[in-house]
């Protein structure tokens, strides 16, 4: 009799799991959010193995989802302040969704690496460009004003001479200037109040590529600072819907060093803005000079673990190719890098032609983004 009872209980459990796991997502913040839900896959082990995960919303519709390279089931939610939304996770046949993110190595354009989502696009220069234009390992912004993915089209048309991506043909353009700077938010050692910029990346690995998150890693040559040589790598991640890409900076140092992430300023006396949440998350915002071609662009960085200082820094270099002197200025967020403790932060931009008509609107976005980091969605697997 006991054995029969056990079998009946096991059958009910299997039927229950096969019907899915109930998930609730709660917004603890005092503002509406459009966020990525993350659930470690080990919390879904009660579901039958060997099939793909399927996420169903409160209307009964299957919504886009992705299992990330580091073992998380992710999906997007639009959730009002203090609201709790129900979802169901089942297993079934693999689903195909239109990608909202994309990134790839571009060997046909001097080894660029470019990545994008439905809001923004970015580029970093590869080693093949160095003999032509000198080293330039800062972050480049591509101003999009379409939800479509454009990287492949822009490169193809530009390389074929059909149209230049430096001109806006209705979906945006590349007009951001990087040169021998950190560009739109890269990091460098800042020992003895001096930036030491590495060269262009020499290796790359795509870790995942959508439909909701793209992640890749770039490897650099060893860098020597203050007589010490160590390795450098950066891992980038970009989610659908976000204005900011996530950066995880790693140095192979044996001792702590000062580092700084920076936004290039077009004039030394340009103003930059900084803000801190009550819990210490730091943000820096800089407004690009208004241009007739582009209009207004606002760039920003967010540091979840705060900063030790925010300063302006100016230096003069001799360009490797032109042999002309160049002077560059940054606003820098300075912190300490400790051995085996990567620094994670976010950087990106907003454009007046695609959702951010004023500096205040971008500052509000950065403020909400910062608070959301400190107040993660409350996710329960029932």
């Amino acid at each position: 009799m006991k054995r029969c009872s056990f079998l009946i209980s096991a059958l009910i459990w299997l039927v229950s799991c096969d019907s899915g796991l109930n998930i609730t997502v709660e917004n603890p913040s005092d503002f509406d959010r459009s966020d990525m839900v993350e659930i470690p896959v080990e919390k879904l082990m009660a579901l039958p193995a060997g099939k793909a995960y399927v996420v169903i919303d409160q209307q009964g519709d299957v919504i886009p989802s992705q299992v990330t390279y580091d073992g998380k089931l992710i999906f997007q939610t639009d959730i009002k302040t203090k609201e709790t939304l129900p979802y169901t996770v089942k297993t079934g046949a693999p689903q195909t969704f239109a990608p909202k993110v994309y990134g790839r190595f571009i060997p046909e354009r001097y080894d660029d690496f470019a990545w994008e989502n439905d809001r923004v696009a970015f580029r970093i220069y590869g080693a093949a460009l160095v003999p032509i234009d000198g080293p330039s390992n800062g972050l480049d912004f591509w101003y999009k004003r379409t939800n479509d993915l454009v990287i492949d089209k822009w490169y193809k048309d530009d390389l074929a001479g059909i149209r230049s991506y430096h001109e806006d043909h209705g979906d945006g353009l590349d007009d951001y200037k990087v040169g021998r700077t950190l560009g739109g938010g890269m990091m460098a050692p800042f020992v003895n109040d001096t930036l030491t910029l590495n060269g262009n990346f020499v290796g790359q690995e795509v870790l995942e590529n959508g439909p909701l998150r793209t992640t890749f890693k770039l490897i650099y040559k060893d860098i020597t600072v203050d007589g010490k040589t160590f390795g450098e790598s950066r891992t980038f991640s970009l989610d659908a819907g976000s204005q900011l890409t996530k950066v995880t900076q790693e140095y192979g140092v044996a001792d702590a060093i000062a580092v700084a992430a920076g936004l290039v300023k077009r004039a030394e006396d340009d103003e930059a803005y900084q803000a801190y949440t009550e819990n210490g998350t730091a943000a820096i915002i800089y407004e690009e000079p208004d241009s007739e071609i582009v209009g207004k662009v606002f760039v920003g960085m967010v540091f979840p673990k705060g900063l030790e200082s925010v300063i302006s820094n100016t230096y003069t270099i001799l360009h490797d190719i032109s042999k002309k002197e160049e002077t560059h200025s940054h606003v820098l967020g300075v912190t300490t890098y400790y051995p085996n403790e990567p620094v994670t932060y976010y950087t990106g931009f907003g454009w007046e032609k695609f959702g951010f008509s004023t500096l205040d609107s971008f500052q509000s976005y950065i403020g909400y983004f910062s608070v959301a980091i400190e107040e993660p969605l409350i996710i329960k697997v029932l």
Side-chain angles (χ1 to χ4, degrees):
M1 190 65 179
K2 289 182 179 179
R3 181 174 179 272
C4 182
S5 175
F6 171 78
L7 290 175
I8 291 173
S9 297
L11 179 60
I12 293 173
W13 182 82
L14 287 172
V15 171
S16 174
C17 289
D18 194 48
S19 65
L21 291 175
N22 294 321
I23 310 292
T24 62
V25 179
E26 179 184 347
N27 176 8
S29 303
D30 293 324
F31 51 90
D32 298 347
R33 291 169 63 168
S34 180
D35 273 17
M36 197 69 72
V37 176
E38 296 186 346
I39 305 173
V41 294
E42 58 262 28
K43 292 189 175 182
L44 306 174
M45 298 302 290
L47 291 170
K51 297 182 179 181
Y53 295 114
V54 179
V55 180
I56 302 171
D57 67 12
Q58 58 271 32
Q59 282 78 42
D61 297 325
V62 175
I63 62 174
S65 61
Q66 175 182 339
V67 175
T68 64
Y69 82 101
D70 54 350
K72 299 172 184 174
L73 174 67
I74 63 172
F75 57 92
Q76 286 181 286
T77 186
D78 291 312
I79 185 167
K80 297 184 181 302
T81 177
K82 306 301 182 183
E83 185 178 31
T84 299
L85 295 178
Y87 294 87
T88 301
V89 179
K90 297 183 178 182
T91 54
Q95 306 288 307
T96 300
F97 305 103
K100 294 184 177 182
V101 296
Y102 178 62
R104 77 172 177 96
F105 180 53
I106 318 286
E108 68 269 31
R109 219 306 297 201
Y110 302 114
D111 294 349
D112 286 354
F113 200 106
W115 67 109
E116 65 179 316
N117 64 7
D118 50 342
R119 299 291 311 168
V120 290
F122 305 88
R123 168 170 65 173
I124 285 188
Y125 303 109
L129 188 63
V130 175
I132 298 167
D133 201 34
S136 178
N137 75 337
L139 180 61
D140 189 20
F141 296 146
W142 279 18
Y143 307 144
K144 287 175 52 172
R145 52 186 178 119
T146 174
N147 296 127
D148 297 337
L149 301 179
V150 300
I151 283 174
D152 279 347
K153 181 179 73 171
W154 284 15
Y155 272 113
K156 180 180 178 181
D157 289 351
D158 187 84
L159 291 170
I162 297 172
R163 67 177 198 172
S164 169
Y165 53 60
H166 294 291
E167 301 170 354
D168 190 347
H169 298 272
D171 52 5
L173 75 164
D174 169 26
D175 191 67
Y176 190 76
K177 305 298 188 295
V178 179
R180 191 59 171 141
T181 74
L182 298 173
M186 288 298 85
M187 180 170 279
F190 191 57
V191 177
N192 299 322
D193 296 329
T194 301
L195 282 172
T196 302
L197 278 64
N198 205 336
N200 298 26
F201 74 88
V202 295
Q204 52 81 29
E205 178 185 7
V206 176
L207 302 176
E208 59 192 340
N209 217 356
L212 298 176
R213 176 176 294 170
T214 184
T215 305
F216 62 96
K217 186 173 186 176
L218 300 182
I219 307 298
Y220 294 80
K221 290 182 178 180
D222 289 353
I223 185 171
T224 300
V225 180
D226 199 27
K228 299 177 181 179
T229 301
F230 46 87
E232 178 182 11
S233 68
R234 294 167 175 156
T235 300
F236 296 85
S237 185
L238 181 62
D239 284 354
S242 180
Q243 298 293 133
L244 308 182
T245 190
K246 182 179 181 180
V247 185
T248 301
Q249 181 77 39
E250 296 185 74
Y251 291 112
V253 295
D255 303 298
I257 62 168
V259 295
L263 302 173
V264 61
K265 297 197 297 180
R266 304 310 173 183
E268 186 175 359
D269 59 353
D270 280 356
E271 184 178 6
Y273 308 89
Q274 56 182 301
Y276 297 85
T277 66
E278 292 182 359
N279 294 321
T281 295
I284 301 173
I285 294 173
Y286 172 73
E287 181 177 354
E288 285 280 309
D290 197 353
S291 82
E292 185 176 339
I293 295 174
V294 174
K296 297 182 183 297
V297 174
F298 315 102
V299 298
M301 301 183 291
V302 175
F303 301 85
K305 293 190 175 181
L307 292 168
E308 295 169 12
S309 62
V310 176
I311 65 171
S312 291
N313 176 264
T314 299
Y315 57 87
T316 299
I317 64 165
L318 184 67
H319 192 276
D320 288 55
I321 304 300
S322 69
K323 302 304 179 184
K324 295 180 180 179
E325 282 194 348
E326 299 179 346
T327 298
H328 300 293
S329 295
H330 292 91
V331 54
L332 299 176
V334 182
T335 189
T336 299
Y337 187 98
Y338 296 96
N340 303 313
E341 294 185 18
V343 174
T344 296
Y345 63 100
Y346 300 82
T347 187
F349 65 94
W351 187 19
E352 72 165 347
K353 295 183 180 181
F354 200 47
F356 296 91
S357 58
T358 64
L359 175 62
D360 285 346
S361 65
F362 188 67
Q363 288 175 325
S364 294
Y365 177 86
I366 293 295
Y368 290 138
F369 188 96
S370 301
V371 173
I373 291 174
E374 299 175 345
E375 298 177 353
L377 297 173
I378 300 170
I379 302 166
K380 295 180 181 178
V381 180
L382 306 178

